[in-house]
Amino acid sequence: QVHLVESGGGLVQAGGSLRLSCAASGSIFSIRSMGWYRQAPRKQRERVARIDSGGNTVYDDSVKGRFTISGDVAKGTVYLQMDSLIPEDTAVYYCDAGNYGLDYLPDYWGLGTQVTVSS
């Protein structure tokens, strides 16, 4: 089992920045990719960005050029630098970890951290 803990959410004005952090514990040797999903009210959970053990990354089109994912999958850490935030970024952000590559559904989830962007 893998346990994920997120931190860094909060309230920020449009145009501002936030940095999310996630740390994994437990059987981290099995992890091959980590990342972030988000879920806004009345919407489905969507992938934001992911990174694999080789440092390869993937981003949703809505955050390209504004968000940057980084981390060390082997050590079970992942970060999400969010710049130029807009109200549409308001959501609960979930850290994830998976035993397979970038495009596979994650196997583990954190409890989530709220990000609220005011206009």
Side-chain angles (χ1 to χ4, degrees), residues 1-2 11-12 20 27 31 38 45-46 49-52 54-55 58 68 77 80 82 86 89 95 98 109 116:
Q1 277 293 334
V2 174
L11 173 64
V12 64
L20 305 183
S27 302
I31 298 174
R38 67 185 179 186
R45 190 174 297 191
E46 62 179 6
R50 303 197 79 240
I51 185 169
D52 67 14
V58 62
T68 304
T77 57
L80 187 68
M82 304 185 293
I86 58 178
D89 294 320
C95 177
W109 298 94
T116 303

Side-chain angles (χ1 to χ4, degrees), residues 3 7-8 10-12 16 19 22 28 34 53 55 57 61 63 69 88 98-99 104 106 109:
H3 182 58
S7 61
L11 173 64
V12 64
R19 179 177 170 86
C22 177
I28 63 173
M34 296 182 72
S53 55
T57 59
D61 286 345
V63 305
I69 190 169
E88 290 75 15
N99 297 326
Y104 287 81
W109 298 94

Side-chain angles (χ1 to χ4, degrees), residues 23-99:
S25 59
S27 302
I28 63 173
F29 60 86
S30 68
I31 298 174
R32 297 294 177 266
S33 61
M34 296 182 72
W36 297 90
Y37 278 65
R38 67 185 179 186
Q39 187 167 17
R42 298 175 297 281
K43 291 190 176 181
Q44 288 189 331
R45 190 174 297 191
E46 62 179 6
R47 187 179 70 180
V48 176
R50 303 197 79 240
I51 185 169
D52 67 14
S53 55
N56 300 300
T57 59
V58 62
Y59 293 90
D60 185 80
D61 286 345
S62 65
V63 305
K64 281 181 181 177
R66 300 189 298 119
F67 291 11
T68 304
I69 190 169
S70 63
D72 187 336
V73 173
K75 294 183 178 179
T77 57
V78 65
Y79 308 96
L80 187 68
Q81 178 66 40
M82 304 185 293
D83 298 318
S84 302
L85 283 160
I86 58 178
E88 290 75 15
D89 294 320
T90 295
V92 177
Y93 284 69
Y94 296 91
C95 177
D96 76 76
N99 297 326

